[in-house]
Amino acid sequence: MTVVEQYARAHVLTDADLPDEEDGGAVPVVLRYDPEDDPRSVRVKLPGRGPREWTFSRALLEQGLRMPAGTGEVRVWPCGRVQAVVEFHSAQGCSVVQFETKTLLRFLNRTYQATATAAVEPVAR
């Protein structure tokens, strides 16, 4: 099966994480999907004081692009027509990160394509 990894730029909206002012506050983010690890989950890795990574439901990400979704560690909601917000909670605090919706949609589409491709590939004997 194919691992999908996408690099993106996002804006940190909380003052707990200080954004890079030279790039308008954008930070590098890694979006990852590994169907062999867990076909229902995606991972988001943020930079900062010790890189942080969250694993959560792919369905949560998809639902959150249409309406507020999630409880607990990860919450996702649309923000206007072209942006989405993902809120990550941990023992160290809360990070609120704003993405372009098209970036998250592109990532989700790639994860579904990887799953569909794996479903039609012949099984090795």
Side-chain angles (χ1 to χ4, degrees), residues 12-19 27 46-49 52 94-97:
V12 176
L13 303 177
T14 54
D15 58 2
D17 301 302
L18 298 175
V27 297
L46 298 174
R49 292 174 233 122
R52 296 152 298 157
C94 175
S95 294
V96 179
V97 183

Side-chain angles (χ1 to χ4, degrees), residues 1 36 117-125:
M1 293 192 163
E36 289 191 21
T117 301
V120 297
E121 289 179 0
V123 178
R125 294 181 191 205

Side-chain angles (χ1 to χ4, degrees), residues 3-77:
V3 173
V4 175
E5 192 166 89
Q6 181 173 317
Y7 296 87
R9 306 287 293 166
H11 293 272
V12 176
L13 303 177
T14 54
D15 58 2
D17 301 302
L18 298 175
D20 179 7
E21 293 300 326
E22 293 177 13
D23 196 14
V27 297
V29 176
V30 179
L31 306 169
R32 184 175 172 83
Y33 172 72
D34 185 348
E36 289 191 21
D37 184 35
D38 183 353
R40 293 184 209 126
S41 295
V42 294
R43 294 177 184 209
V44 176
K45 186 174 184 180
L46 298 174
R49 292 174 233 122
R52 296 152 298 157
E53 184 173 89
W54 282 266
T55 301
F56 57 97
S57 164
R58 180 169 63 166
L60 169 65
L61 181 58
E62 185 174 2
Q63 182 183 6
L65 295 178
R66 294 186 308 272
M67 67 181 121
T71 59
E73 288 186 354
V74 180
R75 297 176 187 149
V76 183
W77 65 89

